[in-house]
Amino acid sequence: MHIGIIGLPNSSKTTIFNALTGGVAETASFSSGRFAVQHAFVEVPDPRLDALVALFQPPKIARARVEYHDIAGLTRGMGEGGLSGEILGAVAQNDALLHVVRAFDDDEVPHPEIDVDPARDVDLVDTELLLSDLAIVERRIERVRAQMKRPGAKDALAEAEVELALLQRLVAALESETPVRDLDLSSAEEKLIRGFQLLTAKPIMLLLNTGDVDVQDPTSILTYPHRRAELLTIRGQIEMELAQLDAEDRAELLAEYGIREPGLDRVIRHSYRLLGLQSFFTAGEREVHAWTIPVGATALEAAGTIHSDLARGFIRAEVVAWSDLVEAGSFAAARLAGKMRLEGRDYVMRDGDVIEVRFNV
Ligand SMILES: Nc1nc2c(ncn2[C@@H]2O[C@H](COP(=O)(O)OP(=O)(O)OP(=O)(O)O)[C@@H](O)[C@H]2O)c(=O)[nH]1
Ligand SMILES: [Mg+2]
């Protein structure tokens, strides 16, 4: 899973990046203005996996991973005519966007728009994303129109007309400041536009950095009535410092600051939900492994995530809920207790299932 951290210059993107990754990338009170994408992998914290590890004590543990990308700040006017290639690529390659919004006061930290105004900043960055998408869609419209005029294009004409109608719908939406993620698109339409990597089609999390102030309810700062969007608050500086401590000191300080769930855990939980993803596990004495699949994926698809051979030669899957397995204490005991089920290829996986695939190739 790739998550791109975006926001205005000096909005505390790198601070949040450090908080999420335990990193020590340089932060500064003047905007670096540098275009250097830094990225880091984070292991997904998962108490279910921890319980399985405690049970099997395997030498190998494979946690799910998320990669965060800290991208240069977006500034007013940048999206006009389309974001430039380098920065567009850096944003477009992500599965979801994490928009860091400054919601803390600090006279030592200059703001590119002078005063602190989270709602305005959100609009400002959204506008640049909308403009960038608009430029892409308009270019595509020109290209499709040119294709339609070409001689011998009869066969493709019907297809082109369908695409053109969809593109014009997108233009109308973007011009009225509606992100693509808010539109009702059929799966065929989604497929048609997937290749354009539109930025406003991506799920987005707004992370409001409230500095030293503990704000539980982000809607007391601003509302964001969009689909596939989440709104969270974080005490950025504090969480960055916490992330750099060892586990023991961190637990102590978390309690002291009254932070029930660290920013990393919350952001990851919301990312899974936004992206419609869930986890399943394979477990044994040799390895405990967390795998990521879409909600609604079948046993066959889960098997294919592990290895294509398992999907090709799929016979059946033995499935048990992680909590039932942990409670039983072993696969054998879970089987005896009637908690392990034999499922076919069309079984719809549940979050937290542990599976053993029987296959033959
Ligand atoms: N008071 C306060 N300052 C913060 C907090 N988080 C970040 N800052 C400060 O805000 C300034 C900018 O932080 P960065 O993380 O470098 O911001 P950025 O968005 O990565 O900046 P650029 O990459 O230059 O666009 C730094 O001086 C940080 O110390 C916070 O929670 N409270
Ligand atoms: Mg930075």
Side-chain angles (χ1 to χ4, degrees), residues 141-153:
I141 287 179
E142 273 169 36
R143 199 165 305 155
V144 172
R145 284 221 172 99
Q147 266 170 13
M148 289 168 81
K149 283 200 202 112
R150 241 173 259 149

Side-chain angles (χ1 to χ4, degrees), residues 295-312:
V295 172
T298 61
L300 184 69
E301 286 161 340
T305 316
I306 302 171
H307 197 285
S308 56
D309 280 353
L310 267 60
R312 201 151 47 84

Side-chain angles (χ1 to χ4, degrees), residues 9-15 27-29 31-32 104 106 109 209 211 237:
N10 230 18
S11 57
S12 71
K13 299 177 299 298
T14 302
T15 303
T27 61
S29 63
S31 178
S32 62
F104 61 87
D106 187 338
V109 181
N209 183 357
Q237 187 89 53

